[in-house]
Amino acid sequence: MSGCTSTDKNSSSNVSVQNTSSSSTDRLLKFGELWLITGYDPANNGVFITEKAIVTESLVGATQDFQLVPLLATSWNQTSPTTWRFTIRDGVKFHNGKPMTAHEVKFSLDRAANISAQNRQFMDFKSCKVIDDHTVEIETNKPNPILPHALHYPNMAIIHPDSLNAQGNFIKPIGTGPMVFDSFDQQTRTFTVKKNPDYWKGPVNLSGMVITGIPDSNARALSIEKGEVDFTVDVPMNEVKRLDELPGINVKTYLTPRVYRMAINFNRTPFQDKRVRQAISLAINRTDIVNNVLYGVGAPAKGIFIPQMEWSNKNLDVLPYDPEKAKSLLKEAGYEDINGDGIVEKDGKPFTIDIVSAQERPGLPPMAETIGASLRKIGIDTKVEVMASAASTDRQNAMNFDLIMVPANIAMIPDPSYVIETWYRSDGYSNSGKYSNSTLDALIDDAKQTIDKKERYAKFNALEAMVYDEMICIPIADYGVTIAQKDSVKGYVFDPTAHDLRMDANMTVG
């Protein structure tokens, strides 16, 4: 992975600048990150600092099949419906040489909950109490059987209080991970880390990394081709074969827990009709998209989870392609082409919509264009708008869209409630279209608080089938991530539980 190009502007005000770049004579890995680096406080930017810079770590880890395993906590148990007790690993030191105890764990979790409503919602956090140096007790507001799953989320990473200055402002991440924060250049937004010589898991192979955000997928491909970076992610799908055939570069594809989906704006009239939502879904040929738009990188969506997940509903098929049925449903809903211009109308008004898409992930723009063409074939006049991710998010937050394409992660918390609750509950954090259904809310609450795993998954399977039928959002394809690296980079192991990817401290670079 690598880093090169750099760009612009405003960085977060609490970002510390330390131009103390590593002087190691060892080879640093140049990592071309997908996003511009805008901050590295784990409570807000945990994905970057915990998974990509690997400076910080969470209490709970996960295996490649999403089973929880100890990390900075060695064990946990539920002592009452709303109380969990965690045993903190002994012998772990922060990067400042100080030992990790329950006090720093409480500090970190209190801070994560106070800083972010999302963090607080995921944990259902009420309080954290130090029992002794290696034991904390966490109380939730309601019974929350998946609190340990929530503590796998990278925003809940553990840091030392010295990460903050005397005024309480975050200045640099002092974590326990295999890499130590070294420097951040605000002008180029280049972030460097170096090897932690005292890592609690043992010796680290990688000497360090130079990480630079390269938001344009074509620029990422060019950077590794020109040798400016050693390692990067999400190169354009149509470049995978060519890059892989270049001497000294190899490209691998992995299925990752992320789904391309279209959120629907329920504040706009046509989409409150289930028949219209189903017609849009039936107009989309998912198999054709995967084969010819994504060049085989990914898989047609069967629902909102990928089949490899233990909790996915195995009875769901790939969402069907049937444009004739789609036209029939539109007609039932009152949309018909009266004037013969190829666009259906209702009450004299043509059915016109927009599809908003971000540009950073290479699969999104061509997929949006293909879906737009498919909708025109059933009589829906469609305008596709591709823009920078930040602008797309602004449109989403302002509810200024009809359909918006999002490559949503589905396993940051390894439990089905993470998606079902955040996407579909009326107050869900990622309920982009503002869907609201009190009956569904009650079913979600019931499933979320169910402790027995078999019963819990059965309830979430039923909920997945329900949202599949209601088409509250429109899944398109399971996400395939491409990793391009130089042949000189050895030992990388992909972690399917990560947001995009988790860097591997056991890599080497020649």
Side-chain angles (χ1 to χ4, degrees):
M1 333 217 159
S2 72
C4 91
T5 315
S6 73
T7 358
D8 41 318
K9 5 180 170 188
N10 44 326
S11 52
S12 35
S13 59
N14 62 348
V15 163
S16 166
V17 183
Q18 299 191 8
N19 291 308
T20 56
S21 57
S22 174
S23 59
S24 169
T25 56
D26 294 330
R27 181 87 155 76
L28 300 178
L29 179 76
K30 292 178 292 182
F31 169 20
E33 155 66 337
L34 180 62
W35 307 104
L36 288 177
I37 301 166
T38 56
Y40 43 89
D41 180 342
N44 289 317
N45 306 101
V47 168
F48 172 72
I49 198 66
T50 303
E51 296 186 342
K52 296 177 179 176
I54 48 177
V55 169
T56 51
E57 298 174 304
S58 303
L59 289 180
V60 178
T63 63
Q64 299 233 340
D65 58 353
F66 308 102
Q67 302 299 311
L68 298 187
V69 291
L71 194 57
L72 292 182
T74 56
S75 63
W76 47 86
N77 64 297
Q78 195 167 12
T79 58
S80 83
T82 56
T83 309
W84 285 83
R85 183 167 285 204
F86 288 78
T87 301
I88 308 306
R89 187 178 296 278
D90 196 9
V92 176
K93 289 183 179 177
F94 286 103
H95 298 154
N96 59 3
K98 297 177 182 178
M100 181 190 68
T101 71
H103 299 279
E104 290 79 30
V105 170
K106 170 178 167 53
F107 164 80
S108 301
L109 297 182
D110 283 347
R111 182 171 180 273
N114 288 332
I115 281 181
S116 164
Q118 174 185 270
N119 296 343
R120 197 162 53 250
Q121 180 179 357
F122 286 167
M123 292 189 285
D124 191 26
F125 187 86
K126 182 176 182 181
S127 64
C128 180
K129 181 168 69 177
V130 173
I131 304 302
D132 59 39
D133 278 354
H134 292 286
T135 311
V136 294
E137 203 167 75
I138 301 173
E139 189 171 357
T140 58
N141 294 297
K142 300 186 294 290
N144 180 14
I146 64 156
L147 178 65
H149 301 68
L151 296 180
H152 171 259
Y153 194 76
N155 281 20
M156 283 42 143
I158 307 304
I159 57 173
H160 192 276
D162 289 351
S163 303
L164 280 57
N165 63 16
Q167 290 72 44
N169 297 319
F170 179 83
I171 50 173
K172 64 178 181 180
I174 301 176
T176 59
M179 291 291 147
V180 179
F181 170 74
D182 183 27
S183 69
F184 179 61
D185 185 320
Q186 286 195 18
Q187 297 304 312
T188 64
R189 297 197 183 187
T190 300
F191 193 91
T192 66
V193 293
K194 58 187 178 183
K195 176 191 299 192
N196 176 4
D198 198 21
Y199 185 44
W200 62 275
K201 282 188 176 179
V204 173
N205 287 337
L206 196 59
S207 298
M209 292 186 283
V210 179
I211 310 172
T212 307
I214 309 176
D216 183 89
S217 60
N218 290 298
R220 289 195 295 276
L222 185 61
S223 293
I224 195 162
E225 187 173 353
K226 292 172 65 177
E228 295 171 337
V229 303
D230 303 309
F231 186 110
T232 193
V233 58
D234 267 353
V235 294
M237 280 74 170
N238 61 352
E239 289 280 353
V240 169
K241 186 172 184 295
R242 185 187 70 81
L243 285 173
D244 192 45
E245 290 175 350
L246 291 175
I249 295 176
N250 66 84
V251 186
K252 291 186 170 58
T253 299
Y254 304 89
L255 192 61
T256 192
R258 185 182 293 279
V259 170
Y260 294 107
R261 64 160 178 150
M262 288 198 299
I264 301 169
N265 187 345
F266 280 86
N267 285 351
R268 297 192 173 175
T269 303
F271 306 115
Q272 294 156 0
D273 190 324
K274 175 179 170 179
R275 294 167 296 187
V276 171
R277 305 194 299 268
Q278 290 177 326
I280 291 172
S281 177
L282 287 165
I284 300 170
N285 187 336
R286 292 166 173 81
T287 301
D288 181 66
I289 284 176
V290 169
N291 291 338
N292 299 311
V293 177
L294 301 180
Y295 291 81
V297 180
K302 290 186 174 180
I304 55 175
F305 296 118
I306 58 176
Q308 292 81 353
M309 290 173 155
E310 181 184 13
W311 55 81
S312 67
N313 187 329
K314 306 297 190 287
N315 295 319
L316 300 181
D317 293 323
V318 172
L319 286 150
Y321 170 59
D322 191 340
E324 293 307 314
K325 186 174 180 182
K327 291 177 185 175
S328 174
L329 284 173
L330 285 180
K331 189 173 182 180
E332 278 183 32
Y335 292 92
E336 199 167 0
D337 182 12
I338 304 298
N339 59 15
D341 67 351
I343 302 300
V344 296
E345 302 105 33
K346 185 175 183 179
D347 300 328
K349 295 180 180 176
F351 193 172
T352 302
I353 64 172
D354 58 58
I355 300 178
V356 175
S357 170
Q359 63 191 19
E360 284 83 350
R361 295 188 185 271
L364 285 177
M367 198 181 306
E369 293 289 353
T370 301
I371 291 171
S374 299
L375 295 184
R376 289 183 201 105
K377 289 178 181 176
I378 64 166
I380 300 177
D381 189 18
T382 307
K383 178 184 176 186
V384 175
E385 299 180 68
V386 178
M387 58 195 72
S389 178
S392 170
T393 301
D394 288 345
R395 290 280 294 270
Q396 178 176 304
N397 292 339
M399 294 296 287
N400 182 18
F401 67 93
D402 291 313
L403 303 174
I404 189 164
M405 294 202 63
V406 180
N409 189 284
I410 54 176
M412 294 296 283
I413 294 173
D415 184 84
S417 64
Y418 172 60
V419 165
I420 297 284
E421 181 181 26
T422 59
W423 292 13
Y424 299 112
R425 205 180 186 291
S426 298
D427 60 354
Y429 186 80
S430 300
N431 182 358
S432 309
K434 306 302 179 193
Y435 179 80
S436 182
N437 180 328
S438 58
T439 302
L440 183 63
D441 290 348
L443 291 171
I444 292 171
D445 290 344
D446 175 59
K448 185 181 177 185
Q449 294 181 31
T450 301
I451 294 173
D452 179 81
K453 188 173 174 180
K454 186 176 179 181
E455 183 183 359
R456 179 183 184 83
Y457 285 0
K459 288 181 178 180
F460 277 110
N461 280 177
L463 284 165
E464 188 184 358
M466 184 183 301
V467 299
Y468 178 99
D469 179 62
E470 287 291 320
M471 206 49 68
I472 301 168
C473 72
I474 302 177
I476 309 297
D478 300 341
Y479 195 100
V481 62
T482 55
I483 302 290
Q485 55 184 328
K486 290 183 179 175
D487 291 349
S488 55
V489 178
K490 307 288 186 186
Y492 176 70
V493 177
F494 182 75
D495 181 351
T497 72
H499 187 261
D500 294 307
L501 78 165
R502 185 186 299 276
M503 293 304 280
D504 188 333
N506 288 319
M507 286 189 289
T508 60
V509 53

